[in-house]
Amino acid sequence: MRGIYLVEFANGACYIGISGSDCASRLIAHGKTYDDIIGFRLQRFAGSYSALRDRERSLIHDAEKSGLVVRNREHALRFEGTSVLNDVVTTDDQALWLEEPVARNSLDFDCAPPDLPANQIESYAHRWARFGGRPDATDLIEIVGKYLRSTVCHARRTEAQFWSVSCLPTSNPTRLSCVSINWMETFVLFTAPSGPVQASLFVDGDELPAGAFRCAIYLRRRGIRRGKIKHAPGGASQQQLIARGHKAIETMTEDPVIMRAAASLNLALMRKGRSSQIRSHCAQLARAALDATVLDPA
């Protein structure tokens, strides 16, 4: 039977799932995974599979907005359970980091870079040289550095595990760089056929000024507009922000409210699992960006 189901757990959490043909087998599988199931609800669905997927996403987002704790990893930003990030950064340190990201990141200034395969580093050498040949290369490196130090949890410690940064990716010639966390592109520098460099930044919308009008004015005064892109890992509260030109990008990456919103989103994404784009990580850009923003931990 095609349908959508909800699994209820003893602690009040839930899991929302779908099956295109056999909900019963999915529920049996959950029963083998979890030992605290107290009930489930099932609803038939007569529409297409793509419509079923849309319905699943909508219900997960509604659950998050209502304050329910979900065990879904897809479509939900925050989840219940143990995170592999805890093996690298303790939960206490994660909480401390979120209160003062820049200061906490500076404590890792002597952390050794990750040991990446030599062929991966070599494969990016020519793209890194081209990137460095841009007249605005220094500005772009500093922008990426500001983003990393302000929004990525213990960036040096988690580099090439929980986040990655690409350099002039061949998959999209308009892109200059892209930071990826979990399965989501969280910060992208790109160009149009003509015009200045632009930045796409994803944040936790719940951390922005409350009220649609107030938030719109806050962003507009800083030369920032809202985008429409949504990613499955980002959950219901994700919000894309776009800045056009170096001045607006600098304003965006130095704004404490916006950076806090980005840090909140990124920490939740890192807790969901490792970056899916490690093979696209440009160690040269990462090192230059992190070294460009070294702060005295004292």
Side-chain angles (χ1 to χ4, degrees):
M1 181 187 74
R2 171 174 293 182
I4 188 162
Y5 60 86
L6 181 145
V7 180
E8 300 175 80
F9 300 98
N11 64 354
C14 68
Y15 180 95
I16 298 170
I18 61 173
S19 175
S21 59
D22 188 3
C23 284
S25 63
R26 294 287 293 135
L27 293 171
I28 291 172
H30 288 307
K32 295 178 179 179
T33 301
Y34 302 107
D35 60 4
D36 58 340
I37 295 175
I38 60 172
F40 65 89
R41 305 183 188 198
L42 177 64
Q43 183 181 65
R44 291 179 181 272
F45 192 88
S48 66
Y49 186 75
S50 62
L52 181 61
R53 290 280 292 167
D54 289 342
R55 180 60 175 159
E56 176 191 33
R57 181 178 63 250
S58 176
L59 287 175
I60 293 172
H61 286 181
D62 287 346
E64 278 200 303
K65 290 176 181 177
S66 299
L68 292 176
V69 176
V70 297
R71 293 189 181 178
N72 296 74
R73 299 258 178 156
E74 187 181 20
H75 301 308
L77 177 57
R78 293 173 178 83
F79 70 98
E80 182 199 57
T82 302
S83 169
V84 292
L85 179 62
N86 300 351
D87 296 333
V88 181
V89 183
T90 67
T91 54
D92 287 343
D93 282 346
Q94 290 171 37
L96 290 171
W97 174 85
L98 190 56
E99 293 307 311
E100 45 180 6
V102 176
R104 301 297 297 187
N105 276 350
S106 70
L107 298 177
D108 290 339
F109 73 99
D110 60 349
C111 184
D115 186 16
L116 295 175
N119 61 345
Q120 180 172 346
I121 296 175
E122 179 62 25
S123 68
Y124 263 104
H126 69 290
R127 288 189 232 175
W128 172 239
R130 284 172 48 211
F131 187 94
R134 291 180 57 93
D136 59 352
T138 298
D139 292 338
L140 296 177
I141 291 169
E142 290 180 351
I143 287 169
V144 174
K146 288 177 183 177
Y147 175 77
L148 294 175
R149 74 171 182 177
S150 300
T151 73
V152 178
C153 183
H154 288 278
R156 290 178 184 270
R157 204 187 308 176
T158 57
E159 178 189 349
Q161 295 184 73
F162 293 89
W163 67 271
S164 60
V165 60
S166 65
C167 177
L168 301 180
T170 56
S171 59
N172 189 331
T174 68
R175 291 188 171 188
L176 303 175
S177 175
C178 174
V179 176
S180 297
I181 300 177
N182 190 245
W183 288 83
M184 184 164 169
E185 297 175 340
T186 60
F187 185 65
V188 181
L189 293 175
F190 62 98
T191 60
S194 61
V197 173
Q198 300 183 56
S200 168
L201 168 71
F202 281 86
V203 302
D204 180 352
D206 288 344
E207 296 282 349
L208 294 176
F213 179 76
R214 183 175 171 226
C215 184
I217 294 298
Y218 185 91
L219 297 175
R220 187 179 306 167
R221 286 176 175 171
R222 290 157 177 78
I224 303 166
R225 64 180 177 86
R226 297 189 186 197
K228 298 181 179 179
I229 294 176
K230 300 283 187 181
H231 293 293
S237 64
Q238 66 178 295
Q239 177 64 62
Q240 182 192 27
L241 304 180
I242 298 175
R244 186 172 185 270
H246 283 279
K247 183 177 180 181
I249 296 172
E250 182 177 345
T251 298
M252 183 168 69
T253 54
E254 292 181 352
D255 185 278
V257 173
I258 294 174
M259 289 296 95
R260 163 74 187 201
S264 176
L265 176 83
N266 289 351
L267 180 58
L269 289 171
M270 293 173 78
R271 285 188 50 76
K272 292 178 72 170
R274 302 180 190 277
S275 172
S276 64
Q277 300 298 318
I278 301 304
R279 293 181 64 182
S280 300
H281 184 62
C282 177
Q284 297 93 324
L285 176 53
R287 192 53 37 199
L290 291 170
D291 289 346
T293 54
V294 170
L295 298 181
D296 182 353

